[in-house]
Amino acid sequence: MTQKDITFVADFLTEHFNEAPELYNRKGKYFNVERVGQYLKDEDDDLVSPPNTEGNQWFNFLKSSTHLKESPLLFPYYPEKSLHFVKRQMEAVIDQCLQKPADVIGKSVHQAVCMSLYKTSESEDSTPQLFKLPFLWNDKTSNIHYVLFTILENSISKIYLLRRHTDTSRSVSNGILAVEFGNFLNNSINESTDSRCYSCLDAHFYDDETVTVVLKESVEQEGKERVLAQLPLS
């Protein structure tokens, strides 16, 4: 060890482990603890060595501001408490803030329609994820809500389009339909039916009238072709 290392350790011991008679009445805590560790203890007790906030610009700013000093929007400061205590206090406040909206929204939501998309075997230990990449879009002009999604397994070449009127009392024609890509991108009639079959990697609405899809060749081979296609809803 260099002399600098020894000095550093000695200064640390002098600062954090000097005798503290004012702590003698506490359970075995006769020395100042290391100042970082005390903030991480999951206890409600006061900090053994609270921070010195003198000269802190934020506290000085709050004290000088008549509007912010008593503002209910500012989370109260607990200089004598650990971070665990502050975390629990903040979680309680957030839970209280979210409870009312959750109650109101929960009571306003009801089932408008039920559609059976697929069935899985009840004997399987884990149900496979067959519902993929749902994308939501709201057309404010026609007041129609769209959901784009794919179903894996037997229909990898299809994307499904579910649409509902935002007014649940009204219905729209073709509430759900499927678009199958298959081999429609074949360049010539000489190509075999199965050689250029495409499946959907991703699908998003581009605007109210257009859907953008990313397609890939389903054939297992190197350098699979990727296609970016724009599909008009019409």
Side-chain angles (χ1 to χ4, degrees):
M1 295 177 68
T2 64
Q3 186 60 41
K4 186 177 180 180
D5 295 330
I6 296 174
T7 304
F8 177 77
V9 174
D11 289 343
F12 179 87
L13 295 175
T14 302
E15 181 180 0
H16 296 293
F17 293 93
N18 55 331
E19 289 194 24
E22 69 274 10
L23 302 178
Y24 284 174
N25 61 344
R26 302 185 66 161
K27 293 182 180 179
K29 296 181 179 178
Y30 302 132
F31 302 95
N32 285 337
V33 297
E34 199 277 316
R35 292 187 178 181
V36 174
Q38 63 178 346
Y39 289 100
L40 305 179
K41 291 184 177 180
D42 192 4
E43 299 174 353
D44 290 339
D45 294 340
D46 292 347
L47 296 176
V48 177
S49 182
N52 181 13
T53 58
E54 185 178 351
N56 185 295
Q57 293 180 343
W58 173 248
F59 293 118
N60 292 341
F61 171 68
L62 289 184
K63 291 177 182 177
S64 62
S65 173
T66 55
H67 298 289
L68 289 178
K69 188 159 46 176
E70 303 298 332
S71 172
L73 299 178
L74 288 178
F75 196 77
Y77 176 59
Y78 303 94
E80 305 289 334
K81 298 296 184 181
S82 72
L83 291 178
H84 279 282
F85 176 87
V86 176
K87 175 176 176 285
R88 284 196 298 270
Q89 295 289 318
M90 182 173 287
E91 286 175 341
V93 172
I94 293 175
D95 289 342
Q96 185 179 1
C97 291
L98 296 178
Q99 188 58 48
K100 185 68 174 178
D103 292 340
V104 173
I105 294 173
K107 292 176 182 176
S108 66
V109 173
H110 64 277
Q111 179 177 299
V113 64
C114 179
M115 295 181 180
S116 178
L117 297 177
Y118 58 82
K119 293 182 180 180
T120 59
S121 173
E122 295 181 1
S123 61
E124 295 179 0
D125 295 334
S126 59
T127 304
Q129 180 189 359
L130 300 179
F131 191 74
K132 191 181 178 187
L133 56 90
F135 180 78
L136 309 180
W137 180 267
N138 182 248
D139 184 350
K140 295 181 174 60
T141 304
S142 57
N143 295 325
I144 294 180
H145 195 67
Y146 293 91
V147 184
L148 265 176
F149 60 94
T150 59
I151 299 178
L152 303 180
E153 280 195 346
N154 297 327
S155 55
I156 58 174
S157 63
K158 297 178 184 178
I159 62 169
Y160 293 83
L161 186 63
L162 170 67
R163 55 182 184 174
R164 297 287 302 172
H165 203 283
T166 52
D167 180 359
T168 55
S169 63
R170 301 176 60 183
S171 62
V172 294
S173 59
N174 295 329
I176 185 169
L177 54 86
V179 179
E180 183 168 14
F181 300 101
N183 59 351
F184 78 108
L185 292 173
N186 286 359
N187 293 326
S188 72
I189 58 175
N190 296 327
E191 295 185 30
S192 63
T193 306
D194 299 327
S195 64
R196 298 286 295 278
C197 188
Y198 290 86
S199 60
C200 182
L201 278 179
D202 201 0
H204 280 204
F205 267 79
Y206 180 77
D207 55 28
D208 288 342
E209 301 173 351
T210 312
V211 176
T212 302
V213 294
V214 180
L215 305 173
K216 73 168 182 176
E217 279 189 282
S218 301
V219 182
E220 292 294 334
Q221 63 184 23
E222 288 293 327
K224 290 182 182 179
E225 186 176 15
R226 300 289 191 271
V227 177
L228 182 70
Q230 297 274 70
L231 302 179
L233 276 181
S234 59

